[in-house]
Amino acid sequence: VQLQASGGGLVQPGDSLRLSCASSERAFSRYHIGWFRQAPGKEREFVAAISMRGSVTDYRDSVKGRFIISRDHAKNTVYLQMNSLKPEDTAVYYCAASNYDITAYDEYDYWGQGTQVTVSS
C-alpha cells in the first residue's frame, strides 16, 4: 500500500500541528497505521499507532496526553494531532502500515515519505 504523509512545518514551542497520512488505495483500511520519527543523529522511534478499525491506539510515553492519533475511513486518512509541541519533537515524521500487531514496531512493512516537523523559537 502506498502512503503519503503531509502537514509538517516550522512552529514555536507550545504550538500545534496536524499530520496526515493518506492513501488512494482501498486496502489502506485493512492496515494498522503507525507514525514514527527520526531526529538528526538519532535512530528512528515509534510515536503512535492506530488499529485498522480505529478501536485501539498506542503512544510512546513522551507524547501521551499531547498527541492524538485518529483515522477517517471515508477519507482513507490517518491523522496525528500534535499539541503542546516541544523542541524535542523536532524530527522527520513517517507514517507506515502493518498487518501485524500495532505494537510490533519492527513489522511495519510499508512506508511513506517523511514530513519535517521543526519546533523552535
Side-chain angles (χ1 to χ4, degrees):
V1 63
Q2 291 189 333
L3 308 175
Q4 179 77 29
S6 62
L10 172 62
V11 298
Q12 295 186 340
D15 284 352
S16 298
L17 270 179
R18 189 178 75 164
L19 304 184
S20 299
C21 177
S23 176
S24 61
E25 300 180 40
R26 294 182 65 181
F28 181 81
S29 65
R30 299 195 293 271
Y31 287 87
H32 308 313
I33 301 298
W35 285 97
F36 297 76
R37 66 188 181 188
Q38 187 166 22
K42 295 187 177 181
E43 293 188 353
R44 186 173 63 200
E45 63 184 20
F46 167 78
V47 178
I50 190 165
S51 62
M52 67 177 72
R53 289 188 175 87
S55 56
V56 180
T57 57
D58 184 33
Y59 298 91
R60 71 177 298 106
D61 286 345
S62 63
V63 307
K64 286 180 180 178
R66 298 190 297 123
F67 290 11
I68 301 171
I69 190 169
S70 62
R71 69 190 303 163
D72 185 333
H73 284 291
K75 295 183 178 179
N76 240 24
T77 301
V78 168
Y79 302 101
L80 184 66
Q81 178 67 43
M82 305 187 297
N83 302 317
S84 302
L85 282 162
K86 304 176 180 181
E88 51 264 42
D89 294 317
T90 296
V92 178
Y93 283 70
Y94 300 88
C95 62
S98 171
N99 286 129
Y100 301 91
D101 190 278
I102 67 169
T103 62
Y105 306 142
D106 292 334
E107 303 297 341
Y108 283 79
D109 296 323
Y110 304 95
W111 292 80
Q113 91 296 352
T115 184
Q116 176 71 47
V117 173
T118 303
V119 185
S120 175
S121 56

